[in-house]
């Protein structure tokens, strides 16, 4: 099966619960009523096809319940009435000695009423869930601003996948900020979920966009992020919030103006980036840094790494939603091995957009489309014709 087809199947599996519970449609017309009506017709045929002492028509009580799982309230009520009338007609057409009697008829009536009530609750729940998903998406789009193509002299691609939760939004974040000292990239993940995590992510992104533009040293940018998160935590404590102890893992990458053969990198409790090229995959050095918010445990500026980076190498950065994705047996997603094998087969996969799509599909496929944590995949590489310096911030 091709990657495109597998991704289409996974998208269907991960579709919003509102869509899954909503009416089935063909060319814009609802056909959700078809399965329960077909089931009712099959029950009638089976009842007439069996001997008189074997009655199938009492199964009509199941029909409204089936309708309640896929139809609207009005359709469910109509199908419940249809099942009750059908039961009365079919049962009354048999000789009296084979008739089921009023007890089963009353059961069909009660079953239809309960199915209609259950459908009303389901529709209400689905609408509420849809509203929460909409609010969550608005929040994410507000925090993660759109990035122009080739922003800061970088070819880039990113994707954010929500976990299988009803309302809690995670604190994954990423951004690119060009400036006079080169282009800087930030990818990170705030501990926890909910609006507190989003507020912390927004605060860190705001600090990054300013500091990354003006500060010549990448370690100073990291110190600005540390100070900003500490101020955010202090404000939350003063408000009496329980979010006053959040921390964040992050990786800062700088593409210097004067050196195109290397990158500057500060890793703050995060997985180091992977350098992906047609020759293979290698993990860049970057261990030892503490997460943002825990810098007081090791005073002083964080360590600056300056690894070599070839022109055809793409930096791949992922939050732990990728590396900690599990399959049915509990095994983690083998990111490095999967990317290495794929690049060996297809060297063109090193393009950021294709690489991000591959990791996205692989993560969803490995986890069966059921992510337990929000997941971000981000890839960047230098464009050959520009170093990305001197561009102005668009917002």
């Amino acid at each position: 099966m091709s990657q495109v087809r597998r991704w289409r199947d996974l998208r269907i599996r991960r579709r919003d619960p509102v869509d899954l519970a909503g009416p089935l449609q063909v060319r814009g017309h609802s056909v959700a009523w078809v399965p329960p009506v077909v089931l009712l017709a099959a029950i009638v045929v089976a009842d007439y096809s069996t001997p008189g002492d074997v009655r199938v028509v009492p199964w009509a009580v199941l029909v409204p319940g089936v309708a309640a799982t896929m139809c609207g309230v009005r359709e469910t009520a109509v199908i419940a009435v249809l099942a009750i009338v059908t039961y009365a007609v079919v049962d009354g057409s048999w000789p009296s000695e084979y008739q089921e009697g009023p007890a089963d008829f009353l059961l069909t009536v009660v079953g239809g009423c309960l199915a209609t009530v259950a459908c009303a609750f389901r529709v209400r729940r689905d609408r509420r869930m849809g509203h929460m998903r909409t609010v969550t998406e608005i929040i994410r789009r507000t925090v993660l601003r759109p990035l122009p193509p080739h922003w800061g002299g970088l070819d880039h691609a990113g994707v954010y996948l929500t976990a299988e939760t009803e309302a809690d939004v995670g604190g994954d974040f990423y951004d690119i900020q060009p400036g006079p000292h080169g282009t800087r990239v930030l990818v990170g993940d705030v501990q926890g979920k909910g609006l507190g995590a989003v507020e912390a992510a927004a605060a860190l992104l705001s600090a990054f966009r300013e500091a990354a533009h003006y500060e010549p040293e990448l370690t100073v940018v990291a110190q600005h992020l540390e100070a900003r998160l500490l101020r955010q935590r202090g404000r939350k404590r003063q408000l009496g919030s329980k979010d006053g102890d959040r921390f964040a893992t992050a990786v800062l990458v700088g593409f210097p103006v004067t050196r195109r053969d290397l990158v500057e990198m500060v890793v703050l409790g995060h997985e180091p980036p992977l350098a992906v090229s047609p020759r293979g995959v290698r993990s860049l050095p970057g261990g030892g840094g503490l997460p943002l918010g825990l810098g007081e445990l090791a005073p002083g500026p964080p360590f600056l790494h300056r690894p070599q980076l070839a022109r055809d190498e793409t930096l791949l950065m992922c939050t732990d939603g990728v590396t900690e994705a599990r399959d049915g047996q509990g095994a983690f997603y083998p990111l490095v091995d999967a990317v290495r094998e794929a690049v060996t087969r297809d060297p063109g996969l090193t393009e950021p957009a294709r690489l991000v799509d591959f990791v996205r599909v692989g993560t969803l496929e490995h986890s069966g489309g059921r992510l337990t944590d929000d997941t971000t995949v981000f890839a960047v590489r230098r464009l050959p014709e520009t170093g990305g310096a001197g561009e102005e911030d668009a917002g």
Side-chain angles (χ1 to χ4, degrees):
M1 183 185 295
S2 68
Q3 286 284 88
V4 173
R5 183 177 176 185
R6 284 186 294 181
W7 170 235
R8 185 184 301 114
D9 293 341
L10 287 166
R11 281 196 303 177
I12 293 173
R13 247 183 283 173
R14 280 183 51 84
R15 192 177 300 166
D16 190 278
V18 177
D19 295 334
L20 290 174
L24 303 174
Q25 292 189 348
V26 174
R27 296 181 179 180
H29 299 285
S30 174
V31 293
W33 54 270
V34 173
V37 170
V38 170
L39 174 62
L40 182 60
I43 290 173
V44 172
V45 171
D47 189 72
Y48 279 120
S49 301
T50 55
D53 56 344
V54 179
R55 300 300 309 280
V56 183
V57 72
W59 290 12
V61 70
L62 301 176
V63 174
V66 173
T69 65
M70 61 183 63
C71 300
V73 178
R74 184 177 301 176
E75 288 177 314
T76 301
V78 171
I79 290 174
V81 172
L82 179 63
I84 293 170
V85 172
T86 300
Y87 177 91
V89 171
V90 173
D91 191 51
S93 65
W94 285 87
S96 58
E97 64 269 22
Y98 295 130
Q99 292 181 6
E100 294 295 325
D104 284 344
F105 175 77
L106 181 60
L107 180 64
T108 305
V109 173
V110 173
C113 294
L114 292 178
T116 304
V117 172
C119 180
F121 278 107
R122 192 215 79 208
V123 170
R124 182 179 179 182
R125 181 205 63 193
D126 290 346
R127 287 175 179 171
R128 179 173 176 269
M129 189 179 299
H131 176 70
M132 291 189 294
R133 288 294 180 94
T134 300
V135 171
T136 297
E137 182 63 19
I138 291 172
I139 292 172
R140 293 306 312 175
R141 291 185 181 183
T142 301
V143 174
L144 299 179
R145 62 178 181 177
L147 297 174
H150 300 171
W151 184 230
L154 300 179
D155 184 10
H156 62 83
V159 64
Y160 173 84
L161 299 174
T162 58
E164 292 293 322
T165 57
E166 291 189 4
D168 283 345
V169 60
D172 288 14
F173 56 91
Y174 59 84
D175 201 7
I176 297 175
Q177 179 59 56
H181 308 289
T183 298
R184 274 75 183 266
V185 177
L186 173 66
V187 176
D189 180 11
V190 177
Q191 170 261 335
K193 291 182 178 295
L195 290 179
V198 176
E199 288 177 344
L204 289 172
L205 286 171
S206 176
F208 167 74
R209 289 159 187 165
E210 289 298 313
H213 182 85
Y214 292 108
E215 294 293 345
E217 300 296 332
L218 195 63
T219 53
V220 177
V221 177
Q223 289 177 311
H224 275 282
L225 297 180
E226 173 75 16
R228 183 65 183 89
L229 185 57
L230 291 179
R231 294 199 306 272
Q232 174 76 7
R233 284 166 42 170
R235 184 182 68 86
K236 299 293 285 187
R237 291 194 192 101
Q238 291 297 319
L239 292 172
S241 173
K242 298 180 181 180
D243 296 327
D245 296 320
R246 290 188 186 272
F247 62 87
T249 62
V251 56
L252 272 168
V253 179
F255 293 84
V257 176
T258 57
R259 297 291 300 272
R260 296 182 59 83
D261 59 333
L262 56 80
V263 292
E264 298 178 337
M265 192 170 63
V266 176
V267 179
L268 303 162
H270 202 279
E271 288 290 330
L274 297 177
V276 183
S277 73
R279 297 175 300 280
V281 181
R282 62 188 179 97
S283 180
L284 298 183
L290 292 175
L292 295 168
L294 303 179
E296 58 187 12
L297 300 178
F303 187 79
L304 178 67
H305 301 270
R306 293 170 62 89
Q308 298 289 318
L309 190 70
R311 293 182 178 181
D312 60 349
E313 284 188 307
T314 298
L315 290 184
L316 175 64
M317 291 162 278
C318 306
T319 57
D320 55 12
V322 174
T323 55
E324 295 181 3
R326 297 174 181 263
D327 62 11
Q329 287 70 46
F332 292 112
Y333 176 53
L335 174 64
V336 175
D337 293 339
V339 173
R340 181 182 291 118
E341 181 181 350
V343 169
T344 300
R345 295 194 309 265
D346 181 8
L349 198 67
T350 57
E351 297 177 6
R354 293 189 60 194
L355 183 59
V356 165
D357 278 343
F358 173 81
V359 176
R360 172 177 58 177
V361 172
T363 304
L364 291 172
E365 190 175 53
H366 182 80
S367 63
R370 297 178 295 274
L371 298 177
T372 58
D373 193 9
D374 288 5
T375 301
T376 294
V377 186
F378 198 70
V380 294
R381 71 176 176 187
R382 281 190 189 268
L383 292 170
E385 68 273 10
T386 178
E391 299 196 37
E392 294 299 325
D393 187 4

